[in-house]
Amino acid sequence: MSEFDLIRRHFSAVGSRRTDVSLGVGDDCALLRVPQGQELAVSIDTLVAGVHFLPDCDPEGLGHKALAVGLSDLAAMGAEPAWVTLALTLPDADEGWLRAFSRGFARLAHRHGVALVGGDLTRGPLSVTAQVQGLVPEAAAMRRRGARPGDLICVSGTLGDAGLALRRLGAGESISEYLRDRLERPTPRVELGLALRGAATAMIDLSDGLAADLGHLLAASEVGAEIRLPDLPLSPEIRDRLATDADWDLPLASGDDYELCFCVPEQARARMGTLAERLGIGLRVIGRIRPGKGLRCLLENGSTWEPPRAGYNHFPDAG
Ligand code: ADP
Ligand code: MG
Protein backbone atom coordinates (compact mmCIF):
# COMPACT_ATOMS: atom_id res chain seq x y z
CA MET A 1 0.00 0.00 0.00
CA SER A 2 1.33 3.47 -0.90
CA GLU A 3 1.84 6.41 1.40
CA PHE A 4 -1.14 8.10 -0.24
CA ASP A 5 -3.42 5.11 0.34
CA LEU A 6 -2.41 5.10 4.01
CA ILE A 7 -3.17 8.82 4.32
CA ARG A 8 -6.50 8.43 2.54
CA ARG A 9 -7.47 5.47 4.65
CA HIS A 10 -6.42 6.70 8.10
CA PHE A 11 -6.08 10.48 8.01
CA SER A 12 -8.37 11.98 5.37
CA ALA A 13 -11.58 12.52 7.35
CA VAL A 14 -10.39 12.67 10.93
CA GLY A 15 -12.10 14.86 13.51
CA SER A 16 -14.91 17.36 13.01
CA ARG A 17 -16.08 18.81 9.72
CA ARG A 18 -15.68 22.56 9.99
CA THR A 19 -17.05 25.22 7.68
CA ASP A 20 -13.89 27.33 8.19
CA VAL A 21 -11.79 24.69 6.36
CA SER A 22 -11.73 25.77 2.70
CA LEU A 23 -9.37 22.93 1.84
CA GLY A 24 -8.26 20.03 4.03
CA VAL A 25 -6.08 16.95 3.49
CA GLY A 26 -5.02 16.22 -0.11
CA ASP A 27 -3.37 19.30 -1.58
CA ASP A 28 -0.02 21.00 -0.95
CA CYS A 29 -1.48 23.14 1.82
CA ALA A 30 -4.66 23.32 3.81
CA LEU A 31 -6.64 26.56 3.49
CA LEU A 32 -8.22 27.84 6.69
CA ARG A 33 -10.31 30.91 7.47
CA VAL A 34 -9.47 32.88 10.62
CA PRO A 35 -12.51 35.01 11.56
CA GLN A 36 -12.09 38.78 11.86
CA GLY A 37 -11.20 39.93 15.31
CA GLN A 38 -9.65 36.59 16.30
CA GLU A 39 -6.03 35.63 16.78
CA LEU A 40 -4.60 32.27 15.75
CA ALA A 41 -3.02 30.40 18.70
CA VAL A 42 -0.44 27.85 17.47
CA SER A 43 1.51 25.19 19.33
CA ILE A 44 3.54 22.13 18.31
CA ASP A 45 4.72 19.11 20.30
CA THR A 46 6.72 16.02 19.42
CA LEU A 47 6.45 12.68 21.18
CA VAL A 48 9.44 10.38 20.60
CA ALA A 49 9.38 6.62 21.26
CA GLY A 50 11.65 5.76 24.17
CA VAL A 51 11.66 9.37 25.41
CA HIS A 52 7.99 10.34 25.82
CA PHE A 53 6.32 6.95 25.53
CA LEU A 54 7.21 3.26 25.50
CA PRO A 55 7.58 1.96 21.92
CA ASP A 56 5.10 -0.85 22.64
CA CYS A 57 2.46 1.43 24.20
CA ASP A 58 -1.20 1.24 23.21
CA PRO A 59 -1.44 3.09 19.83
CA GLU A 60 -4.97 4.33 20.55
CA GLY A 61 -3.71 6.00 23.72
CA LEU A 62 -0.78 7.47 21.80
CA GLY A 63 -3.16 8.96 19.22
CA HIS A 64 -5.13 10.51 22.06
CA LYS A 65 -2.06 11.87 23.84
CA ALA A 66 -0.47 13.28 20.67
CA LEU A 67 -3.46 15.61 20.34
CA ALA A 68 -4.14 16.07 24.06
CA VAL A 69 -0.77 17.70 24.80
CA GLY A 70 -1.42 20.36 22.13
CA LEU A 71 -5.00 20.96 23.27
CA SER A 72 -3.64 21.49 26.76
CA ASP A 73 -1.44 24.31 25.41
CA LEU A 74 -4.45 25.90 23.69
CA ALA A 75 -6.43 25.58 26.94
CA ALA A 76 -3.65 27.38 28.80
CA MET A 77 -4.08 30.41 26.52
CA GLY A 78 -7.88 30.34 26.63
CA ALA A 79 -7.97 29.47 22.92
CA GLU A 80 -10.74 27.46 21.30
CA PRO A 81 -9.31 24.46 19.41
CA ALA A 82 -9.98 24.50 15.67
CA TRP A 83 -7.46 22.67 13.48
CA VAL A 84 -4.50 20.31 13.73
CA THR A 85 -1.74 18.98 11.46
CA LEU A 86 0.03 15.71 12.18
CA ALA A 87 3.53 14.51 11.22
CA LEU A 88 4.06 10.80 11.78
CA THR A 89 7.31 8.91 11.44
CA LEU A 90 6.80 5.15 11.48
CA PRO A 91 9.24 2.23 11.33
CA ASP A 92 6.71 0.32 9.20
CA ALA A 93 3.14 0.64 7.91
CA ASP A 94 1.27 -1.55 10.40
CA GLU A 95 -2.40 -1.19 9.43
CA GLY A 96 -3.72 -2.29 12.82
CA TRP A 97 -1.44 0.15 14.61
CA LEU A 98 -2.47 3.02 12.29
CA ARG A 99 -6.15 2.26 12.67
CA ALA A 100 -5.92 2.30 16.46
CA PHE A 101 -3.75 5.45 16.50
CA SER A 102 -6.14 7.26 14.18
CA ARG A 103 -9.14 6.16 16.28
CA GLY A 104 -7.65 7.59 19.48
CA PHE A 105 -6.68 10.83 17.74
CA ALA A 106 -10.08 11.17 16.00
CA ARG A 107 -12.14 10.58 19.11
CA LEU A 108 -10.47 13.40 21.00
CA ALA A 109 -10.55 15.65 17.91
CA HIS A 110 -14.32 15.12 17.64
CA ARG A 111 -14.86 15.85 21.30
CA HIS A 112 -13.29 19.28 20.87
CA GLY A 113 -14.56 20.15 17.38
CA VAL A 114 -11.08 19.91 15.84
CA ALA A 115 -10.45 19.04 12.17
CA LEU A 116 -7.26 17.26 11.03
CA VAL A 117 -6.36 19.35 7.98
CA GLY A 118 -2.96 18.03 6.90
CA GLY A 119 0.26 16.38 7.87
CA ASP A 120 3.19 14.28 6.83
CA LEU A 121 4.01 10.59 6.79
CA THR A 122 7.61 9.34 6.73
CA ARG A 123 9.51 6.16 7.53
CA GLY A 124 11.97 6.11 10.41
CA PRO A 125 12.17 5.73 14.19
CA LEU A 126 8.68 6.12 15.70
CA SER A 127 7.77 9.71 16.54
CA VAL A 128 4.61 11.80 16.45
CA THR A 129 4.37 15.57 16.01
CA ALA A 130 1.07 17.44 16.19
CA GLN A 131 0.62 21.14 15.60
CA VAL A 132 -2.63 22.52 16.95
CA GLN A 133 -4.28 25.77 15.98
CA GLY A 134 -6.94 27.54 18.00
CA LEU A 135 -8.86 30.80 17.96
CA VAL A 136 -8.98 33.46 20.61
CA PRO A 137 -10.52 36.96 20.43
CA GLU A 138 -7.86 39.67 20.02
CA ALA A 139 -6.23 40.55 23.36
CA ALA A 140 -8.23 37.86 25.24
CA ALA A 141 -5.47 35.23 25.40
CA MET A 142 -4.09 34.52 28.87
CA ARG A 143 -0.33 34.45 29.09
CA ARG A 144 2.28 33.38 31.60
CA ARG A 145 2.86 36.99 32.47
CA GLY A 146 0.22 39.04 34.27
CA ALA A 147 0.12 37.56 37.79
CA ARG A 148 0.11 40.20 40.56
CA PRO A 149 1.06 40.05 44.25
CA GLY A 150 -1.97 38.93 46.26
CA ASP A 151 -3.44 36.81 43.44
CA LEU A 152 -4.57 33.31 44.35
CA ILE A 153 -2.78 30.40 42.66
CA CYS A 154 -5.13 27.63 41.52
CA VAL A 155 -4.67 24.22 39.90
CA SER A 156 -7.17 21.89 38.25
CA GLY A 157 -7.48 18.13 38.72
CA THR A 158 -4.80 16.24 40.64
CA LEU A 159 -0.99 16.26 40.49
CA GLY A 160 1.59 13.48 40.20
CA ASP A 161 -0.60 10.67 38.85
CA ALA A 162 1.26 10.25 35.54
CA GLY A 163 4.57 10.51 37.37
CA LEU A 164 3.65 7.71 39.76
CA ALA A 165 2.42 5.60 36.83
CA LEU A 166 5.78 6.03 35.05
CA ARG A 167 7.81 5.23 38.16
CA ARG A 168 5.83 2.06 38.78
CA LEU A 169 6.05 0.93 35.14
CA GLY A 170 9.78 1.69 35.20
CA ALA A 171 10.14 -0.55 38.25
CA GLY A 172 8.27 -3.35 36.45
CA GLU A 173 5.23 -2.95 38.73
CA SER A 174 1.61 -3.03 37.62
CA ILE A 175 -0.56 0.10 37.80
CA SER A 176 -4.24 0.80 38.40
CA GLU A 177 -6.60 1.66 35.53
CA TYR A 178 -6.83 5.13 37.02
CA LEU A 179 -3.07 5.74 36.87
CA ARG A 180 -2.83 4.26 33.37
CA ASP A 181 -5.53 6.63 32.12
CA ARG A 182 -3.82 9.60 33.73
CA LEU A 183 -0.55 8.69 31.98
CA GLU A 184 -1.82 7.58 28.59
CA ARG A 185 -5.04 9.57 28.15
CA PRO A 186 -4.67 12.95 29.81
CA THR A 187 -7.75 15.18 29.71
CA PRO A 188 -6.92 18.59 28.25
CA ARG A 189 -8.78 21.23 30.30
CA VAL A 190 -10.15 23.08 27.28
CA GLU A 191 -13.52 24.12 28.78
CA LEU A 192 -11.76 25.43 31.87
CA GLY A 193 -9.33 27.48 29.78
CA LEU A 194 -12.24 29.04 27.88
CA ALA A 195 -14.21 29.71 31.07
CA LEU A 196 -11.24 31.56 32.58
CA ARG A 197 -11.09 34.15 29.80
CA GLY A 198 -11.29 37.52 31.44
CA ALA A 199 -10.83 35.98 34.90
CA ALA A 200 -7.27 34.59 35.10
CA THR A 201 -4.43 37.11 35.29
CA ALA A 202 -1.89 34.48 34.13
CA MET A 203 -1.99 30.80 33.20
CA ILE A 204 0.21 27.85 32.18
CA ASP A 205 -0.43 24.18 31.59
CA LEU A 206 1.47 21.62 33.63
CA SER A 207 3.64 19.42 31.42
CA ASP A 208 6.97 19.47 33.29
CA GLY A 209 5.64 19.50 36.88
CA LEU A 210 4.16 22.24 39.05
CA ALA A 211 7.50 23.49 40.46
CA ALA A 212 9.03 24.07 37.02
CA ASP A 213 5.91 25.30 35.26
CA LEU A 214 4.71 27.63 38.03
CA GLY A 215 8.34 28.80 38.06
CA HIS A 216 7.98 29.83 34.39
CA LEU A 217 4.78 31.75 35.20
CA LEU A 218 6.47 33.53 38.12
CA ALA A 219 9.51 34.46 36.04
CA ALA A 220 7.33 35.78 33.19
CA SER A 221 5.20 37.75 35.67
CA GLU A 222 8.26 38.97 37.62
CA VAL A 223 6.76 37.89 40.95
CA GLY A 224 7.32 35.24 43.62
CA ALA A 225 4.88 32.84 45.28
CA GLU A 226 4.13 30.77 48.33
CA ILE A 227 2.24 27.51 48.03
CA ARG A 228 1.04 25.18 50.83
CA LEU A 229 1.92 21.57 50.05
CA PRO A 230 -0.89 20.14 52.24
CA ASP A 231 -3.32 21.97 49.93
CA LEU A 232 -2.10 20.30 46.71
CA PRO A 233 -4.90 18.31 45.05
CA LEU A 234 -3.84 14.66 45.19
CA SER A 235 -5.53 11.41 44.22
CA PRO A 236 -5.81 8.67 46.89
CA GLU A 237 -2.89 6.73 45.36
CA ILE A 238 -0.56 9.73 45.58
CA ARG A 239 -1.75 10.45 49.11
CA ASP A 240 -0.95 6.88 50.17
CA ARG A 241 2.47 7.07 48.63
CA LEU A 242 3.26 10.43 50.28
CA ALA A 243 2.11 9.07 53.64
CA THR A 244 4.93 6.51 53.45
CA ASP A 245 7.83 8.44 51.90
CA ALA A 246 6.89 12.19 52.07
CA ASP A 247 8.48 12.56 48.62
CA TRP A 248 6.90 15.80 47.44
CA ASP A 249 8.95 15.53 44.28
CA LEU A 250 6.19 13.30 42.95
CA PRO A 251 3.37 15.89 42.77
CA LEU A 252 5.78 18.83 42.29
CA ALA A 253 8.22 17.69 39.65
CA SER A 254 7.31 14.49 37.86
CA GLY A 255 5.48 16.06 34.92
CA ASP A 256 2.86 14.95 32.39
CA ASP A 257 -0.03 16.26 34.52
CA TYR A 258 -1.67 18.34 31.75
CA GLU A 259 -3.62 20.30 34.33
CA LEU A 260 -3.93 24.09 34.32
CA CYS A 261 -2.22 26.34 36.84
CA PHE A 262 -3.57 29.88 36.90
CA CYS A 263 -3.84 33.03 38.98
CA VAL A 264 -6.97 34.99 39.86
CA PRO A 265 -7.53 38.03 42.09
CA GLU A 266 -8.73 37.26 45.63
CA GLN A 267 -12.26 38.51 44.75
CA ALA A 268 -12.63 35.61 42.30
CA ARG A 269 -12.31 32.93 45.03
CA ALA A 270 -16.05 32.21 45.29
CA ARG A 271 -16.42 32.13 41.49
CA MET A 272 -13.80 29.37 41.32
CA GLY A 273 -16.03 27.14 43.45
CA THR A 274 -19.02 27.77 41.19
CA LEU A 275 -16.91 27.14 38.09
CA ALA A 276 -15.53 23.85 39.44
CA GLU A 277 -19.06 22.67 40.14
CA ARG A 278 -20.33 23.70 36.71
CA LEU A 279 -17.47 21.98 34.87
CA GLY A 280 -17.36 18.96 37.17
CA ILE A 281 -13.61 19.20 37.76
CA GLY A 282 -11.51 19.86 40.83
CA LEU A 283 -10.20 23.42 41.27
CA ARG A 284 -7.99 24.06 44.24
CA VAL A 285 -6.41 27.22 45.64
CA ILE A 286 -2.85 26.19 46.58
CA GLY A 287 -1.20 29.47 47.46
CA ARG A 288 -0.64 33.10 46.69
CA ILE A 289 1.49 35.34 44.52
CA ARG A 290 4.02 37.42 46.52
CA PRO A 291 6.20 40.34 45.61
CA GLY A 292 9.80 39.36 44.86
CA LYS A 293 11.13 36.22 43.27
CA GLY A 294 11.03 32.45 43.51
CA LEU A 295 8.69 29.76 44.81
CA ARG A 296 8.38 28.84 48.50
CA CYS A 297 6.73 25.51 49.26
CA LEU A 298 5.37 25.40 52.83
CA LEU A 299 4.90 22.14 54.74
CA GLU A 300 2.26 21.56 57.43
CA ASN A 301 4.63 22.63 60.23
CA GLY A 302 5.54 25.89 58.51
CA SER A 303 9.01 24.75 57.35
CA THR A 304 9.83 24.90 53.64
CA TRP A 305 10.37 22.02 51.22
CA GLU A 306 13.30 22.48 48.87
CA PRO A 307 12.51 20.85 45.53
CA PRO A 308 15.49 18.58 44.75
CA ARG A 309 15.18 19.03 41.01
CA ALA A 310 13.37 21.09 38.39
CA GLY A 311 11.13 19.57 35.70
CA TYR A 312 12.30 17.26 32.96
CA ASN A 313 15.07 18.79 30.88
CA HIS A 314 16.01 17.30 27.50
CA PHE A 315 19.27 19.27 27.36
CA PRO A 316 20.64 19.35 30.91
CA ASP A 317 24.18 20.15 29.67
CA ALA A 318 23.18 23.05 27.43
CA GLY A 319 24.36 25.62 30.01
P1 ADP B 1 3.59 17.16 -0.02
O1 ADP B 1 4.55 16.17 -0.62
O2 ADP B 1 3.03 18.13 -0.99
O3 ADP B 1 4.06 17.77 1.24
P2 ADP B 1 2.33 14.87 1.07
O4 ADP B 1 2.49 13.85 0.00
O5 ADP B 1 3.27 14.84 2.21
O6 ADP B 1 2.30 16.30 0.39
O7 ADP B 1 0.87 14.80 1.64
C1 ADP B 1 -0.25 14.74 0.78
C2 ADP B 1 -1.45 15.31 1.50
O8 ADP B 1 -1.76 14.47 2.61
C3 ADP B 1 -1.21 16.70 2.08
O9 ADP B 1 -2.43 17.41 2.01
C4 ADP B 1 -0.85 16.43 3.50
O10 ADP B 1 -1.19 17.52 4.33
C5 ADP B 1 -1.70 15.21 3.80
N1 ADP B 1 -1.09 14.34 4.83
C6 ADP B 1 0.09 13.66 4.78
N2 ADP B 1 0.32 12.96 5.90
C7 ADP B 1 -0.73 13.20 6.72
C8 ADP B 1 -1.10 12.78 8.03
N3 ADP B 1 -0.33 11.97 8.78
N4 ADP B 1 -2.26 13.25 8.53
C9 ADP B 1 -3.03 14.08 7.82
N5 ADP B 1 -2.78 14.49 6.59
C10 ADP B 1 -1.64 14.07 6.03
MG1 MG C 1 3.49 19.49 -2.09
Side-chain angles (χ1 to χ4, degrees):
M1 186 171 305
S2 79
E3 179 189 327
F4 304 104
D5 292 327
L6 289 172
I7 293 168
R8 191 171 335 111
R9 186 170 292 190
H10 299 289
F11 299 106
S12 65
V14 167
S16 294
R17 277 177 187 282
R18 294 180 59 102
T19 55
D20 52 15
V21 178
S22 307
L23 189 60
V25 168
D27 214 304
D28 293 315
C29 290
L31 297 173
L32 309 168
R33 285 192 294 269
V34 178
Q36 275 240 306
Q38 305 260 331
E39 288 182 308
L40 188 63
V42 179
S43 174
I44 189 165
D45 280 287
T46 295
L47 302 179
V48 177
V51 178
H52 302 95
F53 61 91
L54 304 169
D56 62 350
C57 79
D58 164 36
E60 194 172 331
L62 184 61
H64 173 103
K65 190 162 180 174
L67 178 56
V69 298
L71 295 183
S72 179
D73 282 323
L74 292 181
M77 303 296 287
E80 186 181 339
W83 313 299
V84 62
T85 54
L86 172 67
L88 261 182
T89 305
L90 303 172
D92 48 51
D94 177 336
E95 281 278 327
W97 192 97
L98 276 168
R99 200 174 309 117
F101 177 91
S102 164
R103 198 187 316 127
F105 191 96
R107 188 171 298 152
L108 187 63
H110 260 294
R111 193 177 308 155
H112 292 286
V114 172
L116 177 63
V117 295
D120 197 22
L121 191 59
T122 52
R123 184 183 290 248
L126 179 59
S127 95
V128 185
T129 298
Q131 187 190 56
V132 291
Q133 288 111 27
L135 299 169
V136 58
E138 271 166 30
M142 287 156 292
R143 307 183 180 197
R144 295 176 178 188
R145 75 160 195 250
R148 290 179 294 251
D151 282 356
L152 304 174
I153 302 168
C154 308
V155 291
S156 64
T158 56
L159 303 176
D161 297 322
L164 181 58
L166 258 188
R167 282 197 200 181
R168 292 212 164 129
L169 290 175
E173 297 167 24
S174 61
I175 53 173
S176 65
E177 273 303 298
Y178 170 78
L179 286 188
R180 183 172 296 281
D181 261 12
R182 292 287 288 157
L183 175 65
E184 295 184 352
R185 290 163 199 260
T187 306
R189 304 300 187 185
V190 172
E191 295 81 6
L192 175 60
L194 292 175
L196 288 169
R197 273 186 196 164
T201 53
M203 178 148 59
I204 190 168
D205 76 315
L206 300 179
S207 51
D208 294 335
L210 179 69
D213 290 324
L214 177 54
H216 297 318
L217 183 153
L218 299 178
S221 295
E222 299 180 52
V223 290
E226 204 166 81
I227 61 171
R228 295 174 307 272
L229 298 188
D231 290 348
L232 294 185
L234 306 174
S235 65
E237 285 185 76
I238 303 289
R239 248 174 226 299
D240 285 354
R241 171 82 178 222
L242 278 170
T244 56
D245 66 6
D247 179 8
W248 289 97
D249 212 22
L250 189 60
L252 286 176
S254 52
D256 255 6
D257 291 314
Y258 301 107
E259 296 296 344
L260 294 180
C261 174
F262 57 93
C263 301
V264 291
E266 167 73 48
Q267 309 85 275
R269 189 189 284 270
R271 269 173 69 201
M272 291 304 108
T274 320
L275 183 59
E277 213 160 287
R278 175 161 75 75
L279 298 177
I281 60 171
L283 279 188
R284 185 75 69 80
V285 175
I286 60 164
R288 219 180 255 283
I289 298 292
R290 301 283 182 214
K293 256 182 159 181
L295 175 63
R296 268 163 58 87
C297 302
L298 295 179
L299 291 159
E300 196 101 61
N301 62 10
S303 65
T304 59
W305 164 266
E306 297 306 327
R309 63 185 169 89
Y312 189 81
N313 183 352
H314 286 272
F315 299 101
D317 306 321

